[in-house]
Amino acid sequence: MNNINDTGTDAGRWLAVETRDSRADGEFFYAVKTTGIFCRPSCSARRPLRENVLFFTDPQAAKAAGFRPCKRCQPDRVAPELRRTERIAQACRILEASPEPLKLESLAAQVAMSPFHFHRLFKSVTGLTPNAWQKALRARRLREQLAKGETVTRAAFDAGFQSGSNYYRQADEALGMTASQFRKGGGDASIRFVVGTCGLGEYLVAESARGICAILLGNSPEALISELETLFPRAVLTADDPAFARRVALVVSFLEHPVRQFDLPLDIQGTAFQQQVWQALRAIPPGETLSYRAIAEQIGKPKAVRAVAGACAANRLAVIIPCHRVVRTDGALSGYRWGVERKQQLLTLEAAQRKR
Ligand SMILES: [Zn+2]
């Protein structure tokens, strides 16, 4: 299998030329002695004979050796898509180096683009708006600083949170728990849970201080509890809380009637990408399905089909985040974290309830 690292050797470079490997574009250029022309590895021109080929690391060197750039692949120009992506990468590096949040206008100006085009391009390359990207960056820095043992105030400051009245609230929001809880390794985050039986089989519903944090389905209570322990390894788990049991009744009623409105607070924790996928899932009406590909397109990352499937598999809130409404492009049910039969059961149930 051809690998981009191979372009460090002439044999690897020749393989890239033979396979017109566009991943090697920019890594090197090849010149053809018989025509006097040099090309990118991916050029669609007729392949030369190996014995007539010379390799160069940059267009200048090829020109200096007396070769002319090919008109078809224009090896002396930066490929436009590469240039676009590079500008966004550059913007990300500027953001990473900046001690404080940057405004869209100033960021766009630094990579010589209009704010409008920059915003659109940034989103299409990273899947996030510049603001959301900066938010995720601050959260990551905050976690790193806290893990190093910094004080909460110092860590939040170093991570680029703006001081002010909502300083701590912003930091808590970014972490999904209070900073001091986080520093203790989330150890004092306590989670209550209830296990029971509903129309879909065994269920486990769990709640953190912020809201419902897990709804799991399965065939054995023991397996569900061990799943919960795996999901929240540092939390203190408590069973059988009477006040919580009443809220669980609402959850169970929703599991059996997914077309109803659900309005208990949720504690949804995940990466920015997962959150984006889960939001898109929640927009699919009950009884309807979308393909993984359609979701990927909807969130502006058409190539991220497998990552979308991964985010569906990482869902902790069965039915509430309706990953059962995602199917393969050909309509096949594909997988379901809680069993394909249960997925079919849910879709049938929803379709029936919608008709009423
Ligand atoms: Zn060419």
Side-chain angles (χ1 to χ4, degrees):
M1 185 59 204
N2 190 15
N3 177 311
I4 192 143
N5 298 325
D6 291 338
T7 59
T9 65
D10 275 2
R13 289 183 193 120
W14 175 241
L15 188 57
V17 170
E18 277 190 303
T19 56
R20 296 195 170 112
D21 187 350
S22 61
R23 291 172 303 175
D25 284 354
E27 299 271 313
F28 72 91
F29 300 84
Y30 73 92
V32 185
K33 286 186 263 183
T34 44
T35 59
I37 284 172
F38 71 99
C39 286
R40 298 173 191 282
S42 72
C43 183
S44 56
R46 230 183 77 199
R47 283 192 205 86
L49 291 173
R50 173 64 187 93
E51 67 217 46
N52 295 329
V53 167
L54 290 174
F55 297 110
F56 294 93
T57 49
D58 56 75
Q60 290 72 30
K63 280 183 189 167
F67 292 96
R68 286 171 290 115
C70 162
K71 289 207 168 64
R72 203 180 301 196
C73 65
Q74 305 190 322
D76 52 342
R77 300 235 184 112
V78 178
E81 68 281 8
L82 192 68
R83 196 166 52 209
R84 278 154 49 92
T85 320
E86 259 173 10
R87 281 205 223 177
I88 297 307
Q90 191 192 346
C92 291
R93 285 193 295 269
I94 292 171
L95 287 174
E96 276 163 357
S98 168
E100 53 198 23
L102 292 176
K103 289 257 185 304
L104 176 64
E105 290 72 20
S106 106
L107 194 54
Q110 290 191 60
V111 292
M113 290 181 79
S114 78
F116 175 78
H117 284 113
F118 175 75
H119 190 271
R120 208 168 55 175
L121 182 60
F122 192 97
K123 186 138 189 260
S124 88
V125 172
T126 67
L128 294 171
T129 66
N131 257 335
W133 198 91
Q134 293 192 73
K135 232 171 140 173
L137 171 69
R138 285 199 296 276
R140 197 178 75 212
R141 281 185 184 153
L142 181 59
R143 282 190 209 106
E144 286 166 4
Q145 294 296 326
L146 288 170
K148 273 193 225 153
E150 287 280 10
T151 66
V152 176
T153 315
R154 181 78 218 167
F157 179 80
D158 287 348
F161 287 89
Q162 300 294 73
S163 55
S165 57
N166 55 7
Y167 190 70
Y168 291 106
R169 193 178 55 75
Q170 284 180 16
D172 286 0
E173 258 177 33
L175 294 171
M177 63 181 85
T178 70
S180 55
Q181 272 178 345
F182 179 86
R183 219 170 24 166
K184 288 174 197 154
D188 59 353
S190 77
I191 288 177
R192 304 183 274 190
F193 70 95
V194 166
V195 182
T197 310
C198 70
L200 296 166
E202 301 291 322
Y203 68 81
L204 181 152
V205 179
E207 186 187 55
S208 74
R210 289 165 189 279
I212 304 292
C213 61
I215 299 172
L216 312 174
L217 300 170
N219 299 321
S220 106
E222 292 74 26
L224 290 175
I225 294 168
S226 86
E227 195 181 343
L228 183 69
E229 284 169 346
T230 313
L231 289 175
F232 301 95
R234 295 195 197 88
V236 176
L237 306 177
T238 324
D240 301 323
D241 177 306
F244 178 45
R246 278 195 298 277
R247 282 196 291 286
V248 170
L250 291 176
V251 176
V252 173
S253 145
F254 179 82
L255 292 178
E256 292 173 343
H257 305 89
V259 297
R260 286 189 190 157
Q261 193 76 23
F262 185 83
D263 43 27
L264 286 176
L266 299 174
D267 179 4
I268 304 178
Q269 290 182 34
T271 64
F273 179 80
Q274 288 172 336
Q275 304 258 12
Q276 230 186 344
V277 171
W278 295 340
Q279 246 169 39
L281 297 184
R282 295 188 78 194
I284 309 174
E288 291 187 24
T289 57
L290 273 185
S291 67
Y292 294 103
R293 184 172 304 279
I295 295 281
E297 278 163 7
Q298 226 175 62
I299 62 170
K301 295 195 123 185
K303 285 183 183 153
V305 179
R306 291 182 67 167
V308 165
C312 291
N315 176 25
R316 298 164 175 190
L317 292 163
V319 189
I320 302 244
I321 293 174
C323 58
H324 63 278
R325 292 179 199 146
V326 191
V327 297
R328 279 208 327 238
T329 313
D330 62 7
L333 280 186
S334 186
Y336 185 49
R337 176 167 177 169
W338 295 288
V340 174
E341 280 164 28
R342 215 168 257 123
K343 186 173 189 173
Q344 180 62 65
Q345 193 184 350
L346 274 162
L347 289 171
T348 311
L349 188 69
E350 289 182 347
Q353 288 175 6
R354 243 160 47 112
K355 286 200 189 104
R356 281 187 212 152

